[in-house]
Amino acid sequence: MSTFDLVTDLRIGHIVEVSGTSIRIELSGDVTELTRTYEGRVYPIGQIGSIVKVHFGRRLVFGFVTLLRMRSEELLESNRPITPDADQRLMEVELFAEGVWKPADQSLHFVRGITTYPLPRQGVHLLTREETTHIYSAAEGQKNEATSSLVPFGHYVGADNTSCRANVDSMFGMHCAVLGSTGSGKSGAVAALLHSMLDHVPEPDTTSHPRILVIDPHGEYGTAFRNRAMVYRAYDPLGNEETTGSPISLPFWLMSADEFRLLAIGKTEHEATSQNNIIYKALTHARMVAAGLVDAAPSEYGADVPDDGLEIDAPRPKKGITQDEIVEFDSDKPRPFSMDELIKHIKYAQAVNATGGKTKSKSATDLSKEGFRSILDKLSVLRRDPRIHFMMKDWDDQSPSLEHVIAQLVGQIQGEDGANKDIRILDISGLPNEVAGPLAAMLARLLFQYKVYQTTEERRRDPVVLVCEEAHRYVPDRGDAEYAEAQTAIRRIAREGRKYGIGLMLVSQRPADVESTVISQCGTWLVLRLTNAADQQHVSRFLPDGLSGMTKALPNLAQQEAIFVGEGAAMPARVRIRDLSQEQLPKSETAKFAKGWALDRLSEDEIAAVARRMAG
């Protein structure tokens, strides 16, 4: 029998209702079990997400099974009496594509969307394994470009291990989300996707060099990529082999005025406007000094008070600098400045009174009341905090430049073995939220600005993907974000990143807690097992019309199984993500309690060693 022939043995029922792309099917009376044997193979009937076909002359219409029920259930729901024929079994199907089989070259011409609608009483048939394979291959194989954007990362479930390939141009160009409950294999799925990107050969005799930056809040991805990733660890309190990483240069001067304000003051209900102004004035002054526009602030009290009618702390252009240059100066651009200069401006230019033409310190009461003391104390604490030493080192002529900082993230880096370290992982585990937030914000905003200032040709050669683990920390659906400072930067990438060649991958085990406006910007979803009803409902809101029924399968997905849907998917499908070796998996293994409790307890010496690391 030829492929896609009309085979009576594969008929399972007939259409009883057509409503747009949704059809209802009454199963045949000879379907006594929900399986059908054909040519030695057993095919299940009515599995959620499985594909059925309707023959329409030479044309084939394909649909997903979304629901299987008894007619009696329908009657009960509508409060109608149950009739003697209410034992009929109904299947609901969402039509999604058409095709024409070409026997001459054994190919399927596949088109997404429906132009020819079936009629009631038409027969509905199962697909054979071979036919299912042809559908998936045809759906993926419509591209004739020299550069392949199709990256295999798993297999279609129920299609004889047919490889599932993601279109990375669409997937990252329109952003994507990887969602799944804890223990569903979410981190492993992210690792599998990234490994697949590294292994991909886009053109014959070429090598792919992805620009992927991962913000890793738990320190789990570094061990998964080893020689192909550059791991930057912001803070390493232990110094043990598993958590070590290269130091990173992300100096404070990369921050915008607002990010620096949030770091220095924090976000509280009683945050005073005067404190904001103190930071804004000092930051602008310090950047102007570094740019050579104004003179440095006094370094002690007793300086002459200017008699030009301006405020003592107002910026005054140096000789040869016009006032227009001062007015047009953008204090948010990532220009290096000295923290000492910023502090001097607060102490000796802002927190002063004019007495007899000389500056004099404000009283202790005024310093506290007007917020100067709390800001200076907080800056002093930040500069001494070992957890953020990488960020708070003062700037001088020997400090890393902006181009060096950017090159850490997207430039070419080779390991000792000559392998390219294409993935950059920023391990922020161990950092408190009040520091991790500004750091993530600074990173996201820096990447976005870097892309904005590129030429069209530079963007074409340098697309970048930002992976945000624990996305609900950055963009929560309600309340304040744990990484509140990063919220604006991530939102902007979600809204505008596509135009500038920066893609976003949001990863979360709590999709219901991720901001709707951000997750709705994602064009592709890889959804693993979700056991929470609120999460399932949230995900169903963003799936294309008619496919929300696939969410019914989410609680029952096996480990490594997922629903793959959206722009990056050839067609919505249930997939099994590729297996990785133990060395390729992230370090996110759940503790083995039974095994651990069968082992000896830690000795007092071992506990003392842990205590020394804690207190050290």
Side-chain angles (χ1 to χ4, degrees):
M1 193 65 68
S2 177
T3 307
F4 289 109
D5 274 354
L6 187 62
V7 180
T8 305
D9 288 347
L10 293 175
R11 180 185 170 108
I12 57 172
H14 64 271
I15 299 171
V16 294
E17 181 182 318
V18 179
S19 177
T21 56
S22 297
I23 64 173
R24 299 175 71 200
I25 298 158
E26 183 180 313
L27 294 183
S28 301
D30 62 346
V31 179
T32 55
E33 298 180 358
L34 289 184
T35 58
R36 175 64 58 85
T37 302
Y38 176 70
E39 293 187 345
R41 279 186 172 162
V42 178
Y43 295 95
I45 298 172
Q47 297 301 300
I48 303 299
S50 62
I51 303 175
V52 294
K53 62 181 177 178
V54 179
H55 288 267
F56 203 89
R58 294 183 62 247
R59 188 176 297 275
L60 297 153
V61 181
F62 303 109
F64 287 112
V65 176
T66 58
L67 183 66
L68 189 66
R69 69 192 313 190
M70 300 294 292
R71 185 179 292 278
S72 56
E73 294 179 45
E74 185 180 43
L75 295 173
L76 284 172
E77 286 180 5
S78 57
N79 293 319
R80 288 183 290 173
I82 299 177
T83 57
D85 62 350
D87 61 345
Q88 295 165 337
R89 293 157 299 177
L90 300 178
M91 189 163 66
E92 295 186 8
V93 170
E94 187 69 24
L95 304 178
F96 69 92
E98 297 178 352
V100 176
W101 176 249
K102 299 178 179 178
D105 56 4
Q106 293 288 295
S107 66
L108 176 68
H109 177 65
F110 181 89
V111 180
R112 292 178 71 165
I114 301 297
T115 59
T116 305
Y117 292 86
L119 300 172
R121 304 300 301 172
Q122 277 192 272
V124 177
H125 295 71
L126 292 175
L127 288 171
T128 65
R129 289 283 181 90
E130 292 78 8
E131 291 171 345
T132 305
T133 299
H134 278 296
I135 288 177
Y136 287 128
S137 299
E140 291 179 350
Q142 297 299 302
K143 299 276 185 180
N144 293 315
E145 299 175 4
T147 303
S148 172
S149 60
L150 298 175
V151 176
F153 72 96
H155 297 90
Y156 291 107
V157 173
D160 264 355
N161 287 328
T162 302
S163 180
C164 174
R165 299 183 294 175
N167 186 321
V168 292
D169 289 347
S170 301
M171 187 174 182
F172 294 135
M174 301 184 71
H175 312 309
C176 65
V178 179
L179 310 171
S181 298
T182 301
S184 62
K186 174 172 49 65
S187 298
V190 173
L193 280 169
L194 299 187
H195 276 295
S196 298
M197 307 300 164
L198 293 173
D199 297 340
H200 181 52
V201 180
E203 297 177 10
D205 303 319
T206 63
T207 304
S208 179
H209 298 294
R211 283 73 148 174
I212 300 174
L213 179 63
V214 182
I215 302 179
D216 184 2
H218 302 302
E220 58 185 346
Y221 286 101
T223 57
F225 298 97
R226 301 189 185 274
N227 66 328
R228 293 301 304 275
M230 188 72 184
V231 181
Y232 297 111
R233 185 163 175 82
Y235 174 59
D236 183 7
L238 304 179
N240 62 41
E241 185 177 346
E242 289 186 338
T243 58
T244 52
S246 301
I248 189 168
S249 294
L250 286 173
F252 59 84
W253 51 261
L254 290 171
M255 292 186 182
S256 67
D258 204 46
E259 290 160 0
F260 191 84
R261 172 187 63 83
L262 286 165
L263 179 67
I265 302 174
K267 188 173 183 179
T268 67
E269 294 179 7
H270 306 291
E271 182 184 323
T273 302
S274 60
Q275 287 183 306
N276 294 343
N277 291 338
I278 291 168
I279 290 294
Y280 285 137
K281 287 180 181 180
L283 183 64
T284 301
H285 165 81
R287 281 197 162 125
M288 284 184 174
V289 171
L293 299 181
V294 300
D295 290 317
S299 56
E300 58 185 2
Y301 299 113
D304 293 331
V305 176
D307 58 1
D308 53 10
L310 299 176
E311 296 288 338
I312 297 175
D313 56 16
R316 293 170 172 82
K318 292 173 70 171
K319 186 176 180 180
I321 303 298
T322 66
Q323 186 64 34
D324 286 344
E325 291 178 86
I326 299 295
V327 172
E328 293 170 2
F329 184 80
D330 185 351
S331 62
D332 268 346
K333 288 191 174 180
R335 296 183 177 96
F337 67 90
S338 167
M339 183 68 75
D340 289 335
E341 185 63 36
L342 180 140
I343 291 173
K344 281 198 304 176
H345 189 268
I346 295 175
K347 289 178 69 173
Y348 303 118
Q350 294 191 57
V352 295
N353 292 319
T355 305
K358 300 289 186 180
T359 57
K360 181 182 178 182
S361 175
K362 288 180 179 287
S363 67
T365 301
D366 286 344
L367 287 174
S368 298
K369 183 178 179 181
E370 296 175 24
F372 293 106
R373 176 52 55 203
S374 62
I375 290 175
L376 291 170
D377 287 347
K378 181 64 179 291
L379 290 174
S380 177
V381 168
L382 290 172
R383 298 183 81 178
R384 294 197 306 268
D385 191 336
R387 297 173 299 180
I388 56 174
H389 182 63
F390 72 95
M391 189 164 64
M392 298 305 294
K393 286 186 288 188
D394 204 8
W395 171 77
D396 57 34
D397 293 338
Q398 304 302 314
S399 298
S401 62
L402 178 60
E403 51 264 40
H404 170 80
V405 172
I406 295 173
Q408 293 176 114
L409 307 177
V410 296
Q412 183 174 12
I413 299 177
Q414 287 188 328
E416 294 179 358
D417 58 356
N420 285 300
K421 294 181 175 291
D422 294 317
I423 294 181
R424 311 293 155 85
I425 299 171
L426 180 59
D427 182 351
I428 59 174
S429 59
L431 289 182
N433 285 342
E434 62 267 23
V435 176
L439 180 60
M442 180 169 66
L443 198 65
R445 185 180 51 77
L446 181 65
L447 275 180
F448 186 81
Q449 284 187 326
Y450 168 67
K451 300 302 294 181
V452 166
Y453 282 92
Q454 283 183 331
T455 65
T456 302
E457 174 63 16
E458 288 167 342
R459 288 177 194 149
R460 188 184 68 81
R461 294 172 48 203
D462 194 32
V464 177
V465 174
L466 177 63
V467 181
C468 292
E469 262 280 4
E470 303 282 0
H472 49 272
R473 294 190 179 190
Y474 305 89
V475 280
D477 202 38
R478 63 191 70 83
D480 290 336
E482 290 182 56
Y483 298 164
E485 301 81 1
Q487 199 162 9
T488 301
I490 298 298
R491 280 176 181 161
R492 190 173 185 192
I493 291 176
R495 288 196 309 266
E496 306 174 41
R498 181 175 63 88
K499 295 182 290 187
Y500 300 108
I502 177 168
L504 188 63
M505 179 190 285
L506 297 177
V507 186
S508 178
Q509 72 260 27
R510 288 157 44 188
D513 292 341
V514 179
E515 186 179 321
S516 301
T517 53
V518 172
I519 200 171
S520 64
Q521 296 289 330
C522 294
T524 304
W525 295 271
L526 185 68
V527 190
L528 293 95
R529 184 175 65 249
L530 285 175
T531 54
N532 184 284
D535 289 332
Q536 296 167 25
Q537 184 178 7
H538 196 69
V539 168
S540 68
R541 292 163 53 191
F542 304 110
L543 292 179
D545 291 341
L547 295 180
S548 57
M550 294 182 75
T551 57
K552 295 181 177 68
L554 291 176
N556 303 314
L557 292 176
Q559 186 83 358
Q560 291 181 253
E561 278 191 4
I563 301 296
F564 184 44
V565 61
E567 299 295 330
M571 51 191 282
R574 185 169 174 170
V575 302
R576 177 177 172 78
I577 295 160
R578 61 179 276 197
D579 292 323
L580 298 175
S581 66
Q582 195 62 38
E583 294 75 23
Q584 293 177 310
L585 288 169
K587 190 180 60 179
S588 57
E589 185 181 9
T590 304
K592 300 292 190 292
F593 287 87
K595 182 177 181 180
W597 288 341
L599 303 174
D600 293 336
R601 293 178 183 268
L602 295 183
S603 67
E604 287 196 17
D605 288 342
E606 289 171 317
I607 293 174
V610 176
R612 284 193 297 272
R613 291 197 293 268
M614 292 170 63

